[in-house]
Amino acid sequence: MTVLKSIVVCLALANAVYFLWAHGIAASKEAPIAVAPPATTLKLVGEAPSDSREAVGSLNGTGIAAAGNAAPNPGLLTNVKRCITVGPFRDVAEASHAASLLRGGGYDPRQRVVDGDVWAGVWVYLPIPASPAVSEQLLTKLKASGIDDALEMPGPADVSVISLGLFSEQKRAQARVAQAQALGLNPGIADRKRTGNVYWIDIDLKPTDGLLNPADLQGESGHISRLEVKACPAGAAAAP
């Protein structure tokens, strides 16, 4: 009997297992899990397939070359001239001397005359006393001390002053200041300009040329020149 009962129990369990499998429980365990499609990933140009790399390469070859042609490196230009102008010079002699120095350096200078203000020198002067009598006494004292060119004239801001001289050399201006200080006076100094014809020198620089140093174009030793170096005005460049 015991053996028979065991057989019956086994058959009942087998039927139960078959019933569950037939109704899809076993199938649901083995059903494939849905997988989301892979997200799009970024790839470097080097990771792209061969045909994609060819397409990218062709775009780069065209685009970068066009950009390079549109905005070239100025340091690589070989046919571009830069026109600079040096000045202003007060007279023809100063301009000619500078042009001679430039020709000796391998440049081809062109002289140009315009109307404008030019530096005339360092002006040494004294404030004028309020009293005309004191002013006359001061002028007499200055002339007696060897400052023969002292005279009353309009000064900065249209205020009258006693001029002690206009000097194109710094050393001479300093000597006049010291001479006035020895008399117990306190002179002022200022740059003075004049209006009239001034001279500029235009030069075409090659791409390999550096800018000029105005100090190299000074005249005689100790002579002061307020020279500038700037771009040429429109139309001043030489014809190509």
Side-chain angles (χ1 to χ4, degrees):
M1 284 297 291
T2 302
V3 175
L4 182 60
K5 288 180 178 181
S6 299
I7 293 173
V8 172
V9 171
C10 289
L11 290 174
L13 291 174
N15 288 333
V17 171
Y18 178 79
F19 178 84
L20 293 173
W21 178 83
H23 284 75
I25 293 178
S28 64
K29 291 182 180 180
E30 298 186 12
I33 299 174
V35 179
T40 302
T41 59
L42 298 176
K43 289 183 178 292
L44 300 176
V45 174
E47 296 175 345
S50 59
D51 55 344
S52 299
R53 286 197 298 269
E54 291 175 0
V56 172
S58 62
L59 288 174
N60 285 346
T62 303
I64 293 177
N69 291 334
N73 185 345
L76 299 179
L77 297 177
T78 56
N79 296 318
V80 176
K81 292 182 179 180
R82 295 172 293 159
C83 180
I84 64 169
T85 187
V86 186
F89 296 95
R90 295 181 296 180
D91 52 43
V92 175
E94 288 186 356
S96 298
H97 175 76
S100 177
L101 293 175
L102 290 168
R103 276 190 289 270
Y107 298 101
D108 184 18
R110 303 181 302 277
Q111 185 172 294
R112 180 166 47 88
V113 183
V114 298
D115 291 332
D117 293 335
V118 64
W119 183 84
V122 176
W123 187 26
V124 183
Y125 63 91
L126 288 169
I128 196 167
S131 169
V134 176
S135 177
E136 286 296 330
Q137 292 174 2
L138 179 56
L139 284 169
T140 301
K141 179 180 179 180
L142 291 169
K143 292 179 183 296
S145 302
I147 306 179
D148 298 327
D149 51 353
L151 75 160
E152 182 179 341
M153 63 182 298
D158 294 329
V159 177
S160 293
V161 297
I162 294 178
S163 174
L164 302 183
L166 183 65
F167 305 93
S168 61
E169 296 180 9
Q170 189 70 35
K171 184 182 297 185
R172 292 179 59 200
Q174 291 174 346
R176 180 54 54 91
V177 169
Q179 189 176 3
Q181 289 174 339
L183 299 174
L185 305 173
N186 186 24
I189 59 174
D191 282 341
R192 194 165 180 84
K193 295 183 177 181
R194 66 165 177 81
T195 301
N197 287 342
V198 295
Y199 301 83
W200 291 83
I201 297 177
D202 300 332
I203 309 164
D204 290 323
L205 296 179
K206 297 185 290 295
T208 54
D209 290 336
L211 289 179
L212 296 176
N213 181 2
D216 296 337
L217 302 178
Q218 299 290 350
E220 59 189 90
S221 177
H223 187 83
I224 304 172
S225 295
R226 298 289 193 268
L227 298 179
E228 307 173 39
V229 176
K230 58 184 180 181
C232 293

